[in-house]
Structure formats: C-alpha cells, structure tokens
Amino acid sequence: SNGVNVSDGVNRSNGVNWSNGVNVSDGVNWSFGILNCRGVSHALFLADCPEKYTVFGKEVSEEDWYSIQAELYQKLGNWRPTFNNIKALYLAHGSDWKLTPVEDAEELSRREAWAGMPQEAIDFVRSLPQFDADMFEKITGIRTEPLRKGTQEHEKSDLPGI
C-alpha cells in the first residue's frame, strides 16, 4: 500500500487517510471497513462501489471521460496552475535554488493561479455539454460563459488574454 496516513489494517490500497480496515481500495478518507472501492469519504462498511467518472459533477461514461481528459491535456500542453510564486522566484534568481529566497514565497489567488490557462483549453472546456460556468469560476476564479455551438469566440472570459 502507498500513501497511507493515520490508518490501520490497510491492504493493497493507495491514498488512504484516517481510515481502518481498507482492502483493495484507493482514495479512501475517514472511513472504516471498505472493500474494493475507489474515491470514498466518510463511509462505514462499504463494498464494491462502482467507480464514477464525472465532468463538472455530471456522470459520463469511462470512455468519454478518458477522451475528454486526453483532449484537455493535449490543449493544456505543459501548462498547469501555479498556486504560489516559488517558480517565479527560482527563475528570477538564476534558476538556482541556493539563491532563491524561499522565505519570500507567497500563495497566489485561484484567479492568479489559473490566469495563464491556454485559451484553446478554456474554449474546449466551455464547449463541453457538462460545462458549468459557476463551478468553473469557483475552481479557477475565471468568469466565462459556455461556448456557443458553432463559434470560436474568445471574448467571454474576464481575464486579459483569456
């Protein structure tokens, strides 16, 4: 087992936190007596729960989820949100960790962390039938509307360059 924190009786499982009696399960939090489950929180005695694939909280098929994930990651390229300024400090100090003033590290807001998301990725997410503008804004801090069918408009988000 890997990634086990404050848990006992864990067998062939990964990502288990504050849980006991977990067998052949992954992503279990504050639970007890879990068998053959994925993504469980606050459960007592649960077995064989089906894995759910969701986009904006709406269930999709496993095939659709992997297809959406692959296209999203292709459009994101190497970009990922950054929630602190440590990389900027590192680059500003010659890409040398010994010279990087780690004590100056600061947390970035959600909006700052997600500000550089590629427009192509935003447009793709906006085009999904499951898209939820309010949830997207809550996660990213970016206010945008669904992409209208047949358009490639870029003026709907509220961040410069997005």
Side-chain angles (χ1 to χ4, degrees):
S1 298
N2 299 299
V4 178
N5 180 49
V6 192
S7 301
D8 295 311
V10 177
N11 180 50
R12 293 178 41 204
S13 300
N14 301 299
V16 178
N17 182 52
W18 287 91
S19 299
N20 302 299
V22 177
N23 189 28
V24 193
S25 299
D26 300 321
V28 178
N29 181 54
W30 282 89
S31 297
F32 182 89
I34 308 300
L35 172 65
N36 195 30
C37 292
R38 309 289 176 278
V40 173
S41 184
H42 295 86
L44 300 173
F45 300 103
L46 180 64
D48 300 324
C49 51
E51 194 162 5
K52 291 182 182 178
Y53 295 85
T54 65
V55 176
F56 286 102
K58 298 173 181 105
E59 258 189 83
V60 296
S61 70
E62 179 179 359
E63 181 180 330
D64 285 348
W65 188 91
Y66 279 107
S67 174
I68 292 167
Q69 182 210 33
E71 189 165 349
L72 175 61
Y73 274 78
Q74 183 273 321
K75 292 178 183 321
L76 289 171
N78 290 329
W79 182 88
R80 299 297 182 268
T82 303
F83 291 92
N84 61 51
N85 67 339
I86 196 72
K87 184 175 181 182
L89 289 171
Y90 171 76
L91 295 173
H93 290 84
S95 299
D96 185 343
W97 284 115
K98 292 178 185 175
L99 300 175
T100 303
V102 177
E103 66 277 2
D104 293 342
E106 296 178 357
E107 183 177 348
L108 300 177
S109 70
R110 284 176 294 137
R111 187 178 174 101
E112 291 170 314
W114 288 88
M117 186 175 184
Q119 185 63 51
E120 185 179 20
I122 292 172
D123 289 344
F124 171 68
V125 171
R126 291 171 56 206
S127 75
L128 296 171
Q130 300 85 4
F131 180 70
D132 181 318
D134 292 331
M135 188 180 297
F136 186 74
E137 182 178 17
K138 184 175 186 175
I139 294 165
T140 67
I142 301 170
R143 182 69 198 158
T144 188
E145 298 299 325
L147 189 61
R148 292 183 300 220
K149 290 187 186 228
T151 69
Q152 290 297 322
E153 63 183 60
H154 297 293
E155 62 275 4
K156 286 293 185 184
S157 71
D158 65 353
L159 290 177
I162 295 181

